Amino acid sequence: SDLLMAVNRLPELEHFVVVRRFGFLDYKSNTLDELSQLLLHTREKIRQLQSKGLKLMRSQVVEKGYTRNDLI
């Protein structure tokens, strides 16, 4: 799917955070705290990586012709 393709095109850290935060690719969903312990970053850094990853995904999906409403 276009969504999985967008996830797989993310840079390594953003990919890891988005996949683990939202449970993509058969991973369970993790909290910001769990990921911050796993990656040895602050919760804020994990939140920033998540935000950057979602922004990159959104731009990739919009390039495919989807609108914001298509993604909700």
Side-chain angles (χ1 to χ4, degrees):
S1 80
D2 289 332
L3 183 59
L4 287 178
M5 187 172 62
V7 169
N8 288 328
R9 293 178 68 193
L10 293 174
E12 185 176 358
L13 271 177
E14 288 82 352
H15 178 271
F16 187 90
V17 169
V18 169
V19 166
R20 300 288 178 114
R21 276 291 283 150
F22 299 104
F24 289 129
L25 306 175
D26 296 329
Y27 285 97
K28 76 173 190 84
S29 297
N30 292 107
T31 64
L32 292 173
D33 282 328
E34 290 169 336
L35 289 173
S36 69
Q37 291 173 10
L38 191 61
L39 294 174
L40 304 175
H41 288 294
T42 64
R43 287 180 71 239
E44 178 60 18
K45 178 64 175 177
I46 300 300
R47 189 200 61 74
Q48 291 170 357
L49 290 166
Q50 173 186 309
S51 180
K52 182 179 176 190
L54 292 175
K55 185 177 180 179
L56 289 169
M57 286 176 59
R58 195 174 299 118
S59 68
Q60 291 176 34
V61 172
V62 168
E63 285 176 9
K64 293 279 189 183
Y66 293 101
T67 66
R68 179 173 282 225
N69 289 333
D70 294 328
L71 303 176
I72 299 175

